[in-house]
Amino acid sequence: MTLPLTGGCMCGGVRYEVSAPPEYAGYCHCTRCQRRTGGAASVSARLRPGSFAIVEGNELIGVYRPPDGFEKAFCTHCGSALFSRNPQNTDEIGVRMGTFDDDPGVRPSYHQYVGYAAPWEPIPDDGLPRHPESRPR
């Protein structure tokens, strides 16, 4: 892995940099992530506080703010899901792993919200811990 890590949206309008290795990554199987991604789960890398910066296209970022949970940021031009962040602590960010340009050097280490997993796609037997709700911190 080479720092900074770079990434962005599908159309290239939004670009970001990450200045420190991600802390960890995991799969989320909640229905909100299913609807946001159109898939059975999302996989995100949790970043170290202060390591994330938008370097291009900040004006293209839209944010969905659910009544509870993390804000969901996306490109308003192409619709790419980019990252989520804690509205009470905006340095707490999870970047969608598919938006990195290169290998971020971290691998998913858990599945959370498996109690809501899509019935049409079984969770693989990958040996990772499974949590019916949010994983314990």
Side-chain angles (χ1 to χ4, degrees):
M1 172 194 32
T2 303
L3 293 174
L5 292 169
T6 59
C9 66
M10 185 168 45
C11 72
V14 177
R15 300 292 303 156
Y16 64 79
E17 289 184 352
V18 178
S19 61
E23 293 183 323
Y24 58 87
Y27 295 99
C28 183
H29 298 270
C30 76
T31 53
R32 190 177 284 165
C33 282
Q34 291 169 24
R35 290 192 173 122
R36 184 176 37 74
T37 65
S42 70
V43 60
S44 299
R46 182 61 59 93
L47 304 181
R48 297 177 193 280
S51 67
F52 181 78
I54 299 295
V55 295
E56 192 175 325
N58 196 50
E59 72 281 0
L60 294 175
I61 296 175
V63 178
Y64 170 63
R65 293 176 177 88
D68 59 340
F70 279 38
E71 301 171 334
K72 314 305 184 214
F74 58 94
C75 174
T76 59
H77 184 75
C78 67
S80 294
L82 296 166
F83 60 92
S84 61
R85 68 181 167 212
N86 183 338
Q88 281 76 45
N89 176 6
T90 56
D91 265 349
E92 194 175 345
I93 293 176
V95 170
R96 305 299 169 237
M97 294 220 6
T99 67
F100 285 116
D101 291 332
D102 297 308
D103 185 351
V106 66
R107 301 293 180 262
S109 59
Y110 62 89
H111 293 271
Q112 68 179 358
Y113 292 99
V114 298
Y116 307 90
W120 41 265
E121 186 172 333
I123 299 171
D125 187 12
D126 55 13
L128 298 179
R130 297 177 182 205
H131 306 283
E133 298 285 333
S134 180
R135 82 175 182 94
R137 294 183 194 224

